[in-house]
């Protein structure tokens, strides 16, 4: 009898475990359902570059870091799409290739425009040696003279501004870009993210610099045997010993080809934010007060939501955090997570006033299996001004909680139906020898040991950490959940990807993608959607400070379009949001039923705010947002 009772108890326990296990299985689409959903998408993948002479797969580091140089060498691939020649489409690419630490301007394959020799951006006349390596390039018209300049940021030195001294329609050439320091004197920073926006509402672009390893740490200097500043993070979930993040306010001189005045106002950053291990910066005006709020995706600890209360010349950013209830895990509370923030993107549901905020984390199965974030609005943006966070975390419900070791994340409408798809970059270190056991060991070890490089296991060439993952292409299905269609579409490559840049390369009204890969060839994905509905592609510009008819991208402008049978769409123009990719500064709107009723809000060069209504036809247009509040469609 006792045996029968035990067997019955065991059977019941197994049944309960099985039932609970069934409840935890993630719902997914069947193969035929995925095939049907994928019919609205198609891509042609072209090589963007090839291996340079002497290509390497690992950087030379300070002596104390050589045993895990593979880990130290895991970032640096980035790309930007831009219209450098004034052709009205995204015909140019700025690419950073860590295999030779090059920063190049090059013709975008498939654009149909004339090609030109690759242009290398080298900071001639400034301190630059083997202890410095580029991490990203950001196109921005900082002197407001009508042509795009390039900001390049590095490990081993502070950023460099390459002033474009040619006209806005000139063919790129090395002699047309002159290098200038943004920080005097040059400092040893290790920067992993850089974004720009009008943070104080003055009308000029400001620069937010996200630094990683401590200031002064000579990470890439093989002679730095006694560098006491070099530390790893002092915690896997609450680290605050990184380099100082910086904010530089700018004031254009009014003269073309002249760098603006940069003023460091970094002291205004909250203490917790100042030394976070920042990997991505996102701007978005969530409160409606005309200046962008800031989301920082921070490695090894709390991400940061900063509510912007600034006035011209007076930076004021308030750190806010969400509220936890009994049903909410700690790390799913905005600003309270211990995960490894790597990327951030914003996407608006049909008709929504607030965007969803998407954040990449590490979600590799049987490893550091955290969760991506999808913060969904549950209130009004104005609540942020009072310190309340009107967001809840819903990545599991949306089906995008897990994707791998994820980096950049970007949202865009690839089939012109008014609903964004999501691309996510994945992968860390590609090799043949799985080193996850060693990484798990130090991740679960005593935090007191983490900051010492000698305590870290070896990660070097041939080792693998999430190196055989594919980049998800998330598409929203009818059930309200996203499905990864990368495999069905033939774009699921085992690339180790760091960033994406979106733009319209060939002017066909469809979004294309630059894919920047680490230690591998980068790619461009041309959008070949069959029979796609039309789109309106808008280049929003305003008069620049340099005068003489100079027009500059209206960074920070907000667009609301649709209604009367058209999908309702919202966009804010912040092309450098995310990890290290930079999109062409365009607003892409689906227009499946013809002309779109559109409302545009913007700041002029003096900080004045304007709002105007207009109707835009399908096609590509330049929209002049004038200082007197009028709008001209070109």
């Amino acid at each position: 009898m006792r045996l029968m009772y035990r067997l019955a108890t065991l059977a019941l326990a197994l049944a309960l475990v099985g039932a609970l296990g069934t409840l935890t299985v993630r719902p997914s689409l069947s193969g035929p359902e995925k095939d049907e959903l994928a019919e609205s998408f198609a891509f042609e993948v072209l090589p963007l570059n090839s291996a340079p002479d002497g290509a390497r797969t690992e950087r030379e580091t300070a002596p104390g870091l050589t045993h895990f140089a593979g880990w130290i060498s895991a970032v640096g691939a980035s790309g930007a799409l831009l219209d450098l020649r004034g052709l009205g489409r995204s015909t140019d690419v700025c690419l950073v290739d860590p295999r030779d630490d090059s920063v190049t301007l090059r013709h975008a394959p498939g654009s149909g425009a004339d090609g030109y020799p690759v242009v290398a951006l080298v900071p001639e006349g400034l301190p630059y040696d083997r202890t410095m390596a580029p991490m990203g390039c950001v196109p921005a018209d900082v002197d407001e003279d009508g042509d795009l300049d390039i900001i390049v940021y590095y490990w081993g030195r502070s950023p460099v501004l390459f002033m474009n001294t040619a006209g806005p329609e000139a063919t790129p050439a090395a002699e047309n870009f002159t290098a200038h320091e943004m920080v005097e004197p040059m400092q040893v920073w290790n920067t992993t993210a850089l974004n720009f926006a009008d943070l104080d509402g003055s009308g000029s672009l400001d620069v937010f610099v996200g630094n990683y390893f401590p200031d002064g740490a000579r990470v890439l200097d093989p002679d730095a045997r006694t560098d006491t500043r070099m530390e790893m993070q002092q915690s896997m979930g609450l680290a605050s010993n990184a380099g100082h993040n910086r904010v530089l306010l700018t004031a254009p001189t009014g003269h073309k080809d002249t760098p603006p005045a940069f003023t460091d106002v970094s002291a205004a950053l909250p203490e917790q934010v100042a030394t976070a291990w920042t990997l991505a910066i996102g701007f978005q005006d969530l409160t409606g007060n005309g200046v962008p709020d800031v989301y920082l995706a921070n490695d090894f600890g709390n991400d940061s939501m900063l509510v912007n209360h600034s006035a011209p010349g007076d930076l004021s950013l308030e750190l806010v955090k969400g509220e936890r209830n009994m049903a909410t895990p700690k790390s799913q509370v905005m600003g309270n997570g211990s995960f490894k923030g790597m990327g951030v993107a914003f996407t608006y549901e049909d008709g929504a006033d607030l965007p969803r905020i998407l954040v990449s984390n590490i979600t590799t199965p049987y490893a550091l299996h955290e969760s991506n974030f999808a913060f969904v609005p549950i209130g009004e943006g104005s609540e942020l001004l009072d310190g309340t966070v009107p967001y809840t975390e819903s990545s599991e419900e949306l089906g995008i909680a897990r994707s791998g070791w994820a980096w950049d994340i970007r949202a865009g409408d690839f089939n012109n139906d008014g609903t964004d798809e999501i691309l996510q970059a994945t992968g860390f270190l590609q090799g043949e020898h799985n080193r996850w056991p060693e990484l798990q060991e130090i991740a679960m070890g005593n935090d007191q040991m983490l900051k010492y490089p000698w305590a870290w296991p070896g990660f070097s060439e041939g080792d693998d950490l999430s190196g055989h993952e594919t980049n998800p292409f998330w598409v929203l299905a009818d059930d309200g959940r996203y499905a990864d269609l990368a495999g069905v579409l033939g774009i699921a490559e085992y690339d180790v990807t760091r960033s994406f840049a979106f733009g319209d390369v060939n002017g066909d009204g469809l979004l294309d993608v630059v894919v920047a890969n680490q230690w591998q060839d980068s790619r461009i994905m041309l959008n070949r959607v069959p029979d796609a509905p039309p789109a309106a592609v808008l280049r929003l510009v305003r008069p620049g400070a340099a005068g003489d008819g100079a027009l500059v991208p209206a960074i920070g402008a907000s667009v609301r379009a649709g209604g009367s049978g058209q999908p309702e769409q919202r966009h804010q123009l912040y092309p450098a949001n995310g990890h290290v990719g930079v999109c062409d500064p365009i607003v892409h709107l689906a227009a499946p039923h013809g002309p779109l009723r559109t409302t545009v809000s913007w700041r002029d060069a003096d900080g004045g705010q304007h709002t105007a209504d207009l109707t835009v036809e399908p096609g590509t247009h330049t929209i002049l947002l004038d200082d007197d509040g009028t709008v001209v469609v070109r």
Side-chain angles (χ1 to χ4, degrees):
M1 181 67 69
R2 182 175 295 177
L3 177 60
M4 293 178 61
Y5 175 78
R6 288 179 175 175
L7 290 173
T9 302
L10 177 61
L12 177 61
L14 290 173
L16 288 172
V17 170
L20 290 172
T22 300
L23 291 175
T24 62
V25 174
R26 302 171 69 192
S28 60
L29 298 182
S30 66
E33 289 174 321
K34 283 189 174 184
D35 290 340
E36 182 179 358
L37 194 60
E39 290 176 358
S40 298
F41 305 95
F43 293 97
E44 177 186 3
V45 180
L46 301 176
L48 184 57
N49 64 341
S50 57
D53 293 339
R56 60 169 186 255
T57 58
E58 196 173 87
R59 287 195 178 95
E60 195 172 16
T61 68
L65 309 177
T66 54
H67 65 288
F68 63 129
W71 178 282
I72 300 297
S73 303
V75 293
S78 67
L81 269 172
L82 63 158
D83 179 15
L84 197 55
R85 294 173 278 175
L87 298 178
R89 57 192 190 275
S90 316
T91 57
D92 305 287
V93 179
C94 184
L95 186 70
V96 178
D97 189 341
R99 295 176 296 185
D100 61 353
D101 282 338
S102 61
V103 183
T104 56
L105 299 172
R106 57 184 64 223
H107 167 73
S111 69
D114 292 337
Y116 54 87
V118 171
V119 175
L121 296 180
V122 180
E124 297 285 353
L126 303 182
Y128 192 70
D129 57 31
R130 64 173 181 168
T131 70
M132 306 165 186
M135 294 288 144
C137 56
V138 178
D141 189 352
V142 295
D143 59 347
E144 299 192 12
D145 67 346
D147 52 50
L148 287 173
D149 312 299
I150 309 291
I151 298 172
V152 180
Y153 53 97
Y154 305 82
W155 279 6
R157 72 166 347 269
S158 42
V160 172
L161 170 60
F162 288 86
M163 297 294 304
N164 186 350
T165 60
E169 298 179 1
T171 299
E175 59 268 23
N176 294 337
F177 290 88
T178 59
H180 301 267
E181 296 285 9
M182 292 177 61
V183 177
E184 295 279 6
M186 183 272 288
Q187 299 181 29
V188 177
W189 293 353
N190 297 289
T191 304
T192 50
L194 187 147
N195 204 341
F196 63 96
D198 180 6
L199 288 170
D200 66 344
S202 66
S204 302
L205 295 180
D206 308 309
V207 181
F208 199 119
V209 181
N211 288 324
Y212 200 70
F213 290 112
D215 295 348
R218 293 150 57 195
V219 180
L220 304 180
D221 186 351
D223 296 324
R225 296 185 178 277
T226 59
D227 185 359
T228 58
R229 288 163 293 194
M230 178 58 211
E231 289 184 347
M232 302 298 289
Q233 72 276 14
Q234 92 272 52
S235 169
M236 274 290 183
L238 293 171
S240 59
N241 63 327
H244 282 73
N245 290 331
R246 310 291 174 131
V247 179
L248 306 176
L249 300 185
T250 75
T253 65
H255 301 288
K256 63 180 301 183
D257 303 335
T258 304
F262 293 99
T263 302
D264 191 333
V265 294
S266 308
L269 292 175
E271 183 178 357
Q272 180 179 331
V273 174
T275 53
W277 293 72
T278 299
L279 282 176
I281 304 167
F283 294 142
Q284 203 81 176
D285 180 4
L286 303 174
T287 68
N289 65 354
V291 286
D293 306 293
V294 184
Y295 190 101
L296 299 182
N298 297 322
D299 210 351
F300 313 123
N302 300 162
D303 287 354
S304 304
M305 169 56 76
L306 299 171
V307 179
N308 197 338
H309 300 273
S310 301
D314 180 18
L315 184 70
S316 177
L317 300 174
E318 177 192 7
L319 180 65
V320 299
K321 294 188 177 185
E323 302 241 343
R324 183 184 183 188
N325 58 39
M326 294 184 64
T328 307
K330 170 183 173 292
S331 283
Q332 290 183 331
V333 177
M334 184 180 288
N336 201 39
S338 60
F339 293 167
K340 316 299 178 289
M342 319 284 268
V344 59
F346 302 87
T347 177
Y348 290 83
E349 282 191 282
D350 189 359
D353 289 324
L354 279 179
R356 291 173 172 174
I357 304 175
L358 311 178
V359 181
S360 288
N361 290 305
I362 299 178
T363 66
T364 297
Y366 309 107
L368 290 181
H369 205 174
E370 300 171 340
S371 172
N372 296 318
F373 294 145
F375 292 111
V376 175
I378 55 173
E380 303 294 327
S382 58
E383 297 175 46
L384 284 163
L385 295 171
D386 298 322
T388 301
V389 176
Y391 278 92
T392 187
E393 206 289 311
S394 301
S395 59
E396 186 61 51
E397 292 84 346
L398 292 171
I400 57 175
R402 291 176 282 280
S403 54
W405 191 316
W407 295 83
D408 213 6
I409 184 168
R410 295 201 177 269
D413 181 4
F414 284 89
N415 62 346
N416 292 351
D417 68 349
T419 299
D420 283 347
E421 287 72 50
I422 302 166
L423 261 172
Q424 203 168 17
T426 63
F428 187 78
L429 182 64
Q430 191 174 97
E432 302 304 320
H433 309 295
N434 182 16
R435 294 297 187 224
W436 263 113
E438 289 86 348
L439 180 55
Q440 288 278 43
E441 182 177 8
I442 192 165
M444 294 186 297
N446 191 326
D447 271 2
Q448 298 299 316
M449 304 295 291
L450 271 175
K451 70 177 183 178
Y452 300 108
W454 54 260
W456 280 67
F459 301 111
S460 57
E461 190 172 357
D463 291 340
D464 189 276
L465 287 169
S466 299
H468 293 82
E469 298 174 341
T470 58
N471 299 331
F473 182 74
W474 299 109
V475 178
L476 189 63
D478 291 338
D479 63 358
R481 293 174 60 84
Y482 287 89
D484 177 14
L485 300 187
V488 180
L489 294 171
I491 56 174
E493 301 287 344
Y494 287 135
D495 291 337
V496 176
T497 302
R498 288 295 169 266
S499 67
F500 303 115
F502 292 175
D504 184 2
V505 169
N506 49 16
D508 62 357
L510 296 170
L511 285 181
D512 307 300
V513 185
V514 163
V515 182
N517 292 327
Q518 186 78 14
W519 310 119
Q520 298 165 319
D521 293 350
S522 294
R523 311 175 190 273
I524 194 163
M525 292 167 43
L526 295 180
N527 195 335
R528 301 299 193 192
V529 171
D531 303 318
V537 179
L538 311 182
R539 290 192 176 273
L540 305 177
V541 297
R542 62 168 179 81
D548 297 326
L551 299 178
V552 303
I555 302 302
S558 175
V559 175
R560 183 191 292 267
S564 299
Q566 298 270 34
E568 292 192 25
Q569 302 162 77
R570 291 201 64 181
H571 295 272
Q572 294 187 25
L573 190 60
Y574 294 107
N577 276 352
H579 175 44
V580 294
V582 184
C583 299
D584 196 5
I586 60 175
V587 171
H588 175 266
L589 300 168
H593 307 300
L596 285 169
R597 294 187 305 182
T598 305
T599 299
V600 184
S601 301
W602 73 98
R603 281 189 184 272
D604 59 36
D606 295 321
Q609 296 188 68
H610 307 280
T611 297
D613 297 323
L614 67 155
T615 298
V616 293
E617 300 280 346
T620 299
H621 308 281
T622 297
I623 311 293
L624 171 59
L625 309 176
D626 217 336
D627 290 344
D628 62 3
T630 60
V631 175
V632 179
V633 180
R634 297 182 173 181

